[in-house]
Amino acid sequence: MLPAPESLTATAPDTFQTRFETSKGDFVIEVHRDWSPNGADRFHNLVSGGYYDDVRFFRVIAGFMAQFGIHGDPAVSAAWRGRKIADDPVVASNTRGFVSYAMAGPNTRTTQIFINFGDNSRLDGMGFPPFGKVIEGMEVVDQLYSGYGEGAPSGPGPNQSQIQYQGNEYLIQEFPGLDHVVKATIVEGSGGAADA
């Protein structure tokens, strides 16, 4: 079991990098706290706590974005589901390589994030503030498996509710082609730990 959410509340460094080792290769996200302070803090704590390890890229829409961040263990998902963070103003833009949180309305960001494949700047006006950008390995992100398309019920892809309650067991059985994060880590020397 991962650290309890209430223990992961440190303030992130002003800028830092995270390396994602995946089933397709590695990519690096550079985070800028001034783009989205609440988002950056949450992301730093999630990566530091090992949250994204063995998490599937469950919604990959060619030309749009790659979404991930529902934990493979339903108990961990349940622990984080209600841990919403307050909205941040949109400072950067949802263009190629930029990373934002998925959300279901105002002040509903938790753990799910997406990487933009192209110019999705229309999302800026909908309140999706990027907190980082892929600075290495965007070609790896481009290759993430997108064959399942949009998720259920709009498409044939994974159902997010079932992922929440059944985790990787459901995804491995029903959607074996999905790529996944092997391990996510803070890159050493990319920003010192700040005090909580």
Side-chain angles (χ1 to χ4, degrees), residues 106-125:
N107 303 306
T108 58
R109 297 179 298 168
T110 55
T111 61
Q112 293 189 50
I113 62 176
F114 63 90
I115 303 169
N116 291 285
F117 284 134
D119 182 358
N120 297 323
S121 54
R122 67 185 185 282
L123 298 176
D124 301 352

Side-chain angles (χ1 to χ4, degrees), residues 148 156 158 162 166 168-178:
Y148 298 120
Q162 284 187 257
Q166 298 175 40
N168 282 348
E169 183 177 345
Y170 158 67
L171 292 175
I172 291 167
Q173 181 175 338
E174 301 291 332
F175 302 94
L178 292 177

Side-chain angles (χ1 to χ4, degrees), residues 52-182:
Y52 290 109
D53 298 357
D54 201 30
V55 163
R56 266 59 186 168
F57 295 93
F58 67 86
R59 185 177 178 230
V60 182
I61 311 295
F64 180 32
M65 55 89 218
Q67 185 172 335
F68 62 108
I70 300 177
H71 200 273
D73 180 340
V76 174
S77 288
W80 282 96
R81 198 172 302 128
R83 299 282 174 167
K84 299 174 174 68
I85 56 174
D87 289 342
D88 289 309
V90 178
V91 176
S93 184
N94 285 278
T95 54
R96 179 169 168 77
F98 281 80
V99 188
S100 299
Y101 282 84
M103 60 180 181
N107 303 306
T108 58
R109 297 179 298 168
T110 55
T111 61
Q112 293 189 50
I113 62 176
F114 63 90
I115 303 169
N116 291 285
F117 284 134
D119 182 358
N120 297 323
S121 54
R122 67 185 185 282
L123 298 176
D124 301 352
M126 298 167 66
F128 290 88
F131 63 89
K133 182 180 183 182
V134 175
I135 60 165
E136 291 177 28
M138 190 62 196
E139 70 280 1
V140 172
V141 180
D142 288 335
Q143 294 171 34
L144 295 171
Y145 185 76
S146 62
Y148 298 120
E150 184 57 87
S154 302
N159 182 298
Q160 289 193 36
S161 293
Q162 284 187 257
I163 306 171
Q164 293 276 0
Y165 294 103
Q166 298 175 40
N168 282 348
E169 183 177 345
Y170 158 67
L171 292 175
I172 291 167
Q173 181 175 338
E174 301 291 332
F175 302 94
L178 292 177
D179 284 300
H180 65 279
V181 177
V182 175

